[in-house]
Amino acid sequence: MKIEEFISKMDSFIKEYPEESKKALRKEANAMRKELVDASPVGRGKKKKISKSWKMSMKGSTDTTQEATIRNTSPHYHLVERGHVMRHPSGKVLGYKQGTYFFKNTIDKRKDSFTENIAENLFKQLKGKL
């Protein structure tokens, strides 16, 4: 069986082999997390760096509920990602710091190849069983 045929029948293989599909999803999610670590901006003197705060968790046990969640636990992540208003301690607005959108850009860059990479990982795991 070639990879093109496998991708067209991937839904049936996910239902038939849920553990192997979960491993393939975990492997691709970890690769995505590593790419986010590389894309994260390096701050100056922050105690809790954004690049060291990426966490990945898996949920679901059946083929329809499998889900990988990647999140950042840094308390200032949302400020760097989306931007924020800069204020003086007196409350006066000094300006606006534009967000970097590194998370969104990384996800958009990998969106097309994500499903293909999961299919390739699953194909490698199921090669002896097919």
Side-chain angles (χ1 to χ4, degrees):
M1 178 178 286
K2 294 186 179 183
I3 190 73
E4 292 82 20
E5 294 174 42
F6 184 81
I7 290 174
S8 65
K9 298 177 182 178
M10 196 164 104
D11 290 336
S12 64
F13 290 127
I14 288 173
K15 290 178 184 176
E16 194 172 339
Y17 302 103
E19 282 301 314
E20 287 81 359
S21 63
K22 189 173 186 176
K23 287 179 186 176
L25 178 63
R26 180 183 300 275
K27 186 173 182 178
E28 186 59 25
N30 277 327
M32 178 75 77
R33 185 184 62 80
K34 287 176 186 174
E35 223 172 283
L36 286 168
V37 167
D38 293 340
S40 298
V42 178
R44 297 180 312 237
K46 299 287 183 195
K47 291 182 180 178
K48 193 162 185 171
K49 297 190 185 316
I50 291 176
S51 65
K52 298 195 185 287
S53 301
W54 289 104
K55 306 292 182 222
M56 193 273 296
S57 61
M58 297 287 293
K59 296 178 185 174
S61 58
T62 64
D63 59 325
T64 57
T65 61
Q66 287 181 6
E67 178 180 301
T69 305
I70 301 173
R71 61 187 176 89
N72 195 296
T73 58
S74 179
H76 59 282
Y77 160 75
H78 67 285
L79 299 172
V80 175
E81 173 69 14
R82 297 182 196 106
H84 58 91
V85 173
M86 296 185 301
R87 293 183 184 267
H88 190 272
S90 65
K92 182 180 176 187
V93 175
L94 299 174
Y96 182 77
K97 175 68 176 169
Q98 183 65 36
T100 57
Y101 299 104
F102 64 93
F103 178 79
K104 182 182 178 298
N105 293 338
T106 304
I107 297 296
D108 288 345
K109 185 172 64 171
R110 292 261 330 230
K111 191 185 300 184
D112 298 333
S113 64
F114 191 75
T115 307
E116 293 172 7
N117 291 343
I118 290 175
E120 288 175 11
N121 290 335
L122 187 58
F123 182 70
K124 287 176 186 175
Q125 289 181 4
L126 297 177
K127 208 171 201 178
K129 297 178 182 181
L130 299 177

